[in-house]
Amino acid sequence: MPTTKTLIRLLIVVVILAVGGYAIWLSTRPEPIEVELATIKRGTVESTVVNTRAGTITACRRAKLAPASGGQIVRLLVKEGDRVEKGQVLLELWNTDLAAQRDLARRQLATAEGRRREACVLAENAHREAERTRQLADRGFVSPQSRENADAEARARQANCDATESDVKRAQAQVRVTQAGLERTVLTAPFPGIVALVTGELGEYATPSPPGIPTPPAVDLIDDTCLYVTAPMDEVDAPKLKTGQFARITLDALPGQVFDGKVRRIAPYVTEVEKQARTVDVEVDFEEIPKHALLVGYSADVEVVIERHDNVLRVPTQAIRQNRKVLVVDEENRLAERSLETGLANWAFTEVISGLKEGDKVLLSSDEEDVKAGMQIREKATEP
């Protein structure tokens, strides 16, 4: 029978060995890796498409104006940056000869109208005279020949009155012709807006753009009260797009701000750009006019929402590995692999149909390259 002292010594040896073994295990076990985790929550998941190249802020109305006829600029009434109203004169070409022709036509019209009044007064008087002659002839005071002569005179005077009416109409048409010639030398604003560019100075020669030959406009006029975004979308996304879809607009000039929009038009053809993907141009209206003054030509990006699911379980898309698998943290702070059934997805979040529950924590990222199931982990502290 072992003595009490022997048992005590044996117990001490066992304790020493246990403590030593535990110390060795602590010193040799792998350190938990530090990882970034994401908690599974409910939220909104959208399916969206975005433009392949930068879009552009475009004015609903923009006119590159030039006089209908060529000539020397004698009056330049606007400068770049001026706001103008509809019908306001922008510039005028030399038109002294046309103005003289218009004055001549007006005088000829006045003369024709005077002759018409004279001829019609004589015709009316001849008509009354013929009526009196008929009455006298019926009573036998004048001969039938006198009555016929009076009737003939009345008809002749009326014919002369009618002829002078035609002369008046011809003179009026001549006035309109000369006035139209004058209007071809005067450039007016077709709508209210801001003058973006003026090409030409006083004394210079301005010409209209011949068909097929691009010529700088005399005045570039922009209506900046109505703006929209035009953006190219990849042709593979074109079947998903419909007019009226909600969209978000972002501008490089206004970072951090997002503007709501709505698809107003989808081009009925595909644009082929050399060495680049084929695209379909989409036009997007602003839901509300931005408070900031936007400049035509600003670069813009458009994100069109194709489908939207609210209050669904979602996981950061970044956390999903190959074959729709994620690494979940278990009760012992170890990683475990799970397969997911997913729904709607975008670059930020993916809808979870099954495989996760609310409150689960999944691996988002790690400094270690080879992270796999079974590893002990420690959540990376977030910066305050």
Side-chain angles (χ1 to χ4, degrees), residues 115-191:
R115 290 175 177 171
R116 180 192 60 183
R117 287 192 296 271
E118 178 186 8
C120 291
V121 167
L122 292 176
E124 185 179 354
N125 185 63
H127 177 74
R128 289 194 297 269
E129 183 65 25
E131 183 63 25
R132 286 194 294 269
T133 302
R134 281 196 295 273
Q135 293 175 359
L136 292 175
D138 291 341
R139 296 176 182 178
F141 294 125
V142 296
S143 65
Q145 182 63 41
S146 298
R147 184 179 64 181
E148 292 176 1
N149 290 340
D151 288 341
E153 179 68 14
R155 289 194 298 271
R157 294 292 185 181
Q158 185 60 47
N160 190 37
C161 174
D162 295 340
T164 55
E165 180 67 27
S166 298
D167 291 340
V168 169
K169 290 181 178 180
R170 184 174 61 252
Q172 290 173 340
Q174 187 61 37
V175 171
R176 290 194 294 270
V177 169
T178 56
Q179 182 63 36
L182 274 173
E183 290 175 357
R184 291 171 63 87
T185 65
V186 178
L187 189 62
T188 59
F191 53 81

Side-chain angles (χ1 to χ4, degrees), residues 25-26 28-37 326-338 356 360-364 371-379:
W25 178 77
L26 286 177
T28 57
R29 71 169 182 171
E31 288 289 332
I33 61 173
E34 193 174 54
V35 298
E36 185 178 353
L37 302 177
V326 293
L327 293 176
V328 184
V329 181
D330 61 15
E331 295 80 0
E332 297 178 357
N333 279 342
R334 291 183 181 277
L335 295 176
E337 191 173 68
R338 288 191 194 173
L356 292 172
D360 283 346
K361 290 189 175 183
V362 297
L363 175 69
L364 191 62
V371 180
K372 55 187 177 181
M375 285 186 170
Q376 194 83 21
I377 59 96
R378 181 178 69 253
E379 186 172 2

Side-chain angles (χ1 to χ4, degrees), residues 115-362:
R115 290 175 177 171
R116 180 192 60 183
R117 287 192 296 271
E118 178 186 8
C120 291
V121 167
L122 292 176
E124 185 179 354
N125 185 63
H127 177 74
R128 289 194 297 269
E129 183 65 25
E131 183 63 25
R132 286 194 294 269
T133 302
R134 281 196 295 273
Q135 293 175 359
L136 292 175
D138 291 341
R139 296 176 182 178
F141 294 125
V142 296
S143 65
Q145 182 63 41
S146 298
R147 184 179 64 181
E148 292 176 1
N149 290 340
D151 288 341
E153 179 68 14
R155 289 194 298 271
R157 294 292 185 181
Q158 185 60 47
N160 190 37
C161 174
D162 295 340
T164 55
E165 180 67 27
S166 298
D167 291 340
V168 169
K169 290 181 178 180
R170 184 174 61 252
Q172 290 173 340
Q174 187 61 37
V175 171
R176 290 194 294 270
V177 169
T178 56
Q179 182 63 36
L182 274 173
E183 290 175 357
R184 291 171 63 87
T185 65
V186 178
L187 189 62
T188 59
F191 53 81
I194 186 169
V195 177
L197 178 68
V198 176
T199 303
E201 297 291 342
L202 288 176
E204 292 183 348
Y205 198 84
T207 58
S209 295
I213 302 177
T215 303
V219 176
D220 187 0
L221 184 64
I222 296 174
D223 179 7
D224 58 352
T225 61
C226 175
L227 302 174
Y228 66 94
V229 177
T230 176
M233 299 290 185
D234 196 291
E235 62 176 342
V236 300
D237 294 324
K240 307 174 188 176
L241 298 171
K242 298 178 181 178
T243 56
Q245 287 176 326
F246 176 78
R248 283 183 283 268
I249 302 168
T250 55
L251 308 175
D252 291 342
L254 300 173
Q257 298 189 48
V258 180
F259 303 97
D260 292 341
K262 182 178 292 185
V263 177
R264 61 178 278 181
R265 175 181 175 271
I266 302 168
Y269 59 89
V270 175
T271 302
E272 181 180 359
V273 180
E274 186 178 359
K275 297 181 181 179
Q276 294 188 12
R278 301 190 180 194
T279 58
V280 175
D281 287 339
V282 174
E283 296 177 1
V284 179
D285 281 327
F286 288 92
E287 287 278 13
E288 294 183 4
I289 299 176
K291 297 180 181 178
H292 301 275
L294 302 184
L295 301 182
V296 174
Y298 267 164
S299 62
D301 290 316
V302 171
E303 182 182 19
V304 180
V305 178
I306 305 301
E307 190 175 355
R308 176 188 176 105
H309 291 174
D310 293 318
N311 195 31
V312 296
L313 209 61
R314 65 183 188 179
V315 60
T317 303
Q318 178 185 348
I320 301 178
R321 303 159 76 88
Q322 290 184 351
N323 299 322
R324 288 182 292 184
K325 295 182 181 295
V326 293
L327 293 176
V328 184
V329 181
D330 61 15
E331 295 80 0
E332 297 178 357
N333 279 342
R334 291 183 181 277
L335 295 176
E337 191 173 68
R338 288 191 194 173
S339 296
L340 300 182
E341 181 183 354
T342 59
L344 213 57
N346 58 34
W347 63 271
F349 291 101
T350 297
E351 181 184 3
V352 177
I353 304 299
S354 64
L356 292 172
K357 64 180 183 299
E358 191 171 358
D360 283 346
K361 290 189 175 183
V362 297

Side-chain angles (χ1 to χ4, degrees), residues 66-76 89-98 181-187 201-208 218:
S69 61
Q72 187 180 30
I73 300 175
V74 294
R75 296 178 66 204
L76 187 57
V89 176
L90 307 178
L91 65 81
E92 187 176 341
L93 305 180
W94 183 83
N95 55 16
T96 304
D97 55 341
L98 296 177
L182 274 173
E183 290 175 357
R184 291 171 63 87
T185 65
V186 178
L187 189 62
E201 297 291 342
L202 288 176
E204 292 183 348
Y205 198 84
T207 58

